[in-house]
Amino acid sequence: MSPREMYQQRRTTPAEAMRHVRDGDFIVVPTGVGEPPTLLTALSEQRMDFRDVKVGQILALRKYGYIDQATVDHVRHVAYFFGGATREGGQAGWVDFIPNYFSEIPDQIERGLMPADVVFSMASPMDDQGFFALSLGADYTMAAVAKARAVVLEVNPHVPFAYGNCRVHVSKVAALVESEEPVLEVGLPKIGVVQEAIGKYVADMIDDGSTLQIGYGGIPDAVVMQLAHKRDLGIHTEMIGDGILSLVESGAVTNRRKNYLPGKMIATFALGSGKLYRYMDRNPALEMHPVNYTNDPALAGMNDNLVAINATLQIDLLGQCGSESLGSAPFSGTGGQSDFVRAANRSKGGKAFIVLPSTAKGDTISRIVPVLSPGTHVTTSKNDVNYVVTEYGVAQLRGKSAKQRARELIGIAHPAFREELAAQAARIKLL
Ligand code: COA
């Protein structure tokens, strides 16, 4: 049978596609804009017909009908990372959570530690050889495709046909539906003066020829905006967004000096504008790969001068970063933070930056604390953390003693909290 005939055979309606889901199944959905709106809407509409179905995803972007406390016995969301659509449910306990390093999710799926019975994913149109590109989120979805009983695709002409290991052959697909609505666009976060000041400290420490990983949140984007004048930057990252595209357009990114995959940018998921998605289409300068490849600390660390920029919510005086919860209330997830901190530590000349405003809630709370709030989920450990940056400067921690770390971190805390931090550090015998 030709690829075109296979395509026609599998083409169906969203409601019919739901027949591939069975009670007790675990459905894997890609990161962010790789989530298929037509399929997830159909699942939401039919959710009362199912029992004990779970949907697992990093960063759900839209609050579909199935993300509903009243119907969790039918279909429940399981977050690998919380975002706006799932945070409230996570904090109330009816959205479940699987802690993970992003880089290790594919391996846990392959080993059967994380379930993957069905895949629902956005996909590009099929090429003449019968391949679709899962370019918006190759992440753990490629591992789930290999493992799943049923792969169900939402084929959309706005999904780029990107290069890299993000292709699925039509023979592997159980059903497909077609949709035409533009891929969801996600704008850059608002950047204030504090974020800009932190961005400047980091940008000043990035040398021409460095390879970058840009994390998630306002400050990583503030750094990017201050790199337009740099030369010969490379990209080896988890998320490709409009910030990176702006560096390509300014001529700052050439990928010429990368030691690993020179001449190419690599990423595992995309989050940005229609312009970004169009840029990704059949562009030999970019490859989209599974996350066990992009985020493997050993592979990423093969690039000299790898710079990783990631945000945290709170840090203690030893340097333990609580980047993903506020006390015991989950806020986001580990994502690729620890992967890239370790990658930058391995890289010759590499620099791992953890960035945070010194305070929260109108300067009433110091985000640098003697001990983390009870219940905080530690994201980057004291053994991995290196450069920490606030609007008051840069603390370098790796190789430093506990006392030196406490002094360095108090030095970049908001001045109004420094005295109290020093007194508390003395009380817990850190100073
Ligand atoms: N106490 C109380 N509230 C706090 C706080 C603290 N210590 N730290 C932050 N907050 C509040 C902020 O005031 C803000 O609230 P607001 O929206 O009402 O102003 C909110 O928490 C978010 O803080 P902010 O600093 O604006 O976070 P951000 O938008 O820059 O995002 C995360 C940071 C959550 C994305 C980041 O910490 C994270 O998830 N890191 C782990 C994952 C990661 O790094 N992945 C990288 C690879 S993609």
Side-chain angles (χ1 to χ4, degrees):
M1 202 184 287
S2 73
R4 207 31 68 192
E5 286 164 339
M6 283 192 253
Y7 185 102
Q8 289 307 336
Q9 194 186 54
R10 287 155 174 76
R11 195 164 157 249
T12 187
T13 62
E16 280 293 309
M18 295 307 116
R19 294 171 64 150
H20 290 275
V21 179
R22 299 179 191 157
D23 288 348
D25 270 354
F26 195 102
I27 305 172
V28 172
V29 172
T31 314
V33 297
E35 67 190 24
T38 306
L39 293 173
L40 291 173
T41 301
L43 179 72
S44 299
E45 284 165 2
Q46 294 185 34
R47 66 188 184 279
M48 302 311 280
D49 300 341
F50 294 111
R51 285 219 75 76
D52 195 28
V53 166
K54 299 199 170 67
V55 178
Q57 187 186 7
I58 272 199
L59 196 58
L61 285 181
R62 286 165 277 211
K63 199 167 184 303
Y64 295 99
Y66 83 85
I67 305 177
D68 176 359
Q69 181 171 17
T71 57
V72 288
D73 292 340
H74 299 276
V75 181
R76 183 190 293 273
H77 190 85
V78 180
Y80 309 154
F81 186 107
F82 292 99
T86 54
R87 186 171 296 131
E88 191 192 327
Q91 294 179 352
W94 54 267
V95 168
D96 210 350
F97 174 53
I98 303 181
N100 60 80
Y101 292 119
F102 199 177
S103 63
E104 294 186 358
I105 299 179
D107 182 63
Q108 294 189 24
I109 289 174
E110 275 158 32
R111 290 175 193 229
L113 295 171
M114 288 172 73
D117 302 301
V118 177
V119 172
F120 278 4
S121 176
M122 288 285 264
S124 72
M126 189 180 78
D127 72 1
D128 291 343
Q129 283 71 43
F131 286 98
F132 303 90
L134 307 196
S135 55
L136 300 174
D139 49 38
Y140 44 79
T141 309
M142 294 301 289
V145 164
K147 196 85 178 179
R149 186 190 71 242
V151 175
V152 183
L153 299 183
E154 179 168 333
V155 179
N156 182 307
H158 303 288
V159 176
F161 193 85
Y163 295 118
N165 180 10
C166 62
R167 304 285 169 76
V168 175
H169 194 260
V170 63
S171 57
K172 184 80 192 135
V173 176
L176 56 90
V177 302
E178 292 171 341
S179 69
E180 299 249 311
E181 65 180 274
V183 177
L184 188 68
E185 299 193 54
V186 180
L188 290 173
K190 271 216 187 104
I191 291 164
V193 285
V194 167
Q195 282 85 356
E196 212 174 302
I198 298 170
K200 178 148 180 18
Y201 279 119
V202 177
D204 286 349
M205 291 179 68
I206 296 178
D207 299 321
D208 288 346
S210 298
T211 292
L212 308 181
Q213 174 260 339
I214 312 291
Y216 189 64
I219 302 175
D221 279 313
V223 176
V224 168
M225 280 167 197
Q226 301 185 54
L227 296 176
H229 62 286
K230 301 277 177 183
R231 285 292 160 258
D232 288 328
L233 297 176
I235 302 295
H236 183 123
T237 195
E238 168 185 308
M239 181 185 90
I240 181 148
D242 285 80
I244 289 175
L245 183 56
S246 73
L247 292 182
V248 173
E249 288 174 338
S250 76
V253 165
T254 63
N255 296 297
R256 205 168 56 86
R257 285 169 63 184
K258 286 175 77 180
N259 333 48
Y260 187 63
L261 295 178
K264 288 204 188 295
M265 294 190 277
I266 72 163
T268 199
F269 75 91
L271 200 68
S273 65
K275 185 176 168 191
L276 173 75
Y277 308 140
R278 286 189 293 281
Y279 171 82
M280 294 169 65
D281 193 50
R282 292 182 162 80
N283 186 339
L286 171 71
E287 291 184 359
M288 300 302 288
H289 285 281
V291 68
N292 48 333
Y293 182 77
T294 55
N295 287 33
D296 181 326
L299 290 182
M302 284 167 71
N303 287 298
D304 291 349
N305 306 311
L306 179 70
V307 173
I309 307 152
N310 293 289
T312 196
L313 298 172
Q314 194 181 55
I315 185 166
D316 75 9
L317 291 178
L318 276 177
Q320 304 185 88
C321 303
S323 312
E324 57 189 279
S325 77
L326 292 170
S328 57
F331 190 88
S332 54
T334 302
Q337 181 170 124
S338 309
D339 297 333
F340 277 100
V341 167
R342 284 180 291 144
N345 289 341
R346 295 175 77 109
S347 153
K348 200 165 134 203
K351 293 178 187 144
F353 291 99
I354 293 291
V355 293
L356 76 166
S358 65
T359 62
K361 307 287 170 214
D363 290 345
T364 58
I365 296 174
S366 175
R367 291 167 60 151
I368 297 178
V369 289
V371 289
L372 295 172
S373 309
T376 298
H377 306 187
V378 174
T379 309
T380 292
S381 101
K382 63 190 185 319
N383 307 334
D384 292 324
V385 70
N386 195 6
Y387 294 97
V388 180
V389 188
T390 71
E391 70 276 28
Y392 293 101
V394 182
Q396 190 276 314
L397 303 185
R398 229 161 133 75
K400 299 260 167 79
S401 72
K403 288 188 197 319
Q404 288 170 321
R405 286 169 179 235
R407 277 190 212 103
E408 289 264 345
L409 286 166
I410 291 169
I412 60 164
H414 190 288
F417 292 98
R418 287 184 195 167
E419 205 176 305
E420 176 61 20
L421 281 170
Q424 294 206 34
R427 234 169 277 140
I428 57 172
K429 314 293 178 215
L430 258 181
L431 283 180

